Amino acid sequence: MTRGVLVGRAPAPGEVGDAYDAVVIGSGIGGLTTAVCLAREGRKVAVFEQHYTAGGYTHAYRRRGWEWDVGIHYVGQLAPREPVRALSDYLTDGALRWAPLGHPYDEYRLAGEVYRAPVGLAAYQAALTARFPAERSGVEALFKLVARCRAT
Ligand SMILES: Cc1cc2nc3c(=O)[nH]c(=O)nc-3n(C[C@H](O)[C@H](O)[C@H](O)COP(=O)(O)OP(=O)(O)OC[C@H]3O[C@@H](n4cnc5c(N)ncnc54)[C@H](O)[C@@H]3O)c2cc1C
């Protein structure tokens, strides 16, 4: 069960209790996911973070009116019934809402060339094969490997 959140400062002596079922070091997405799962099972959990804010690579910061993400800027497998969506819904009771990225969802610029990443694995594979026809078998092998990783 969640008792309170203390962010951005060290706790005063005695402010944080000393009886926990679990202590999680680090408030990145991994630590927070673990902490929420344990708390939802009724465990008393403390999360300790060394940075001035929680979130690890999910946090963002502002400079001169611009907001910068330090890590995660998009997440996949969020269609209904996909694994990340199921986990997100479980962790937040469905309160966390996701917005589609648009199409293409990313653009890579290398040595003057522009590569656009379409949404969906099949579309991505087709785009890579069209762009690099000589690499067809390598692209195929890559996507087979990705499919195996997704299945495990
Ligand atoms: C530039 C970049 C872009 C990325 N883009 C994406 C993306 O678009 N989509 C995607 O899915 N993934 C992306 N990733 C990967 C993703 O951000 C990470 O895999 C994920 O956030 C890691 O989460 P984590 O909880 O394992 O670790 P972290 O987010 O690193 O969290 C670890 C936390 O533990 C804290 N900590 C460490 N040691 C201690 C200690 N001794 N005491 C207290 N606190 C401690 C750290 O301060 C940190 O807050 C990106 C990563 C980077 C670097």
Side-chain angles (χ1 to χ4, degrees), residues 48-129:
F48 290 91
E49 169 56 54
Q50 66 184 354
H51 197 38
Y52 64 77
T53 189
Y57 278 126
T58 68
H59 87 270
Y61 64 94
R62 283 181 173 276
R63 291 281 187 283
R64 297 180 190 169
W66 294 89
E67 187 175 274
W68 305 89
D69 44 33
V70 296
I72 290 179
H73 45 287
Y74 49 62
V75 176
Q77 296 192 304
L78 281 164
R81 290 185 299 283
E82 284 204 294
V84 181
R85 176 63 173 275
L87 182 60
S88 159
D89 287 348
Y90 169 74
L91 293 171
T92 69
D93 277 334
L96 183 57
R97 296 171 63 198
W98 299 88
L101 284 160
H103 182 79
Y105 71 89
D106 210 343
E107 199 173 274
Y108 308 100
R109 289 169 182 257
L110 297 170
E113 294 281 325
V114 180
Y115 305 89
R116 296 194 173 88
V119 173
L121 282 178
Y124 204 159
Q125 180 172 355
L128 283 176
T129 308

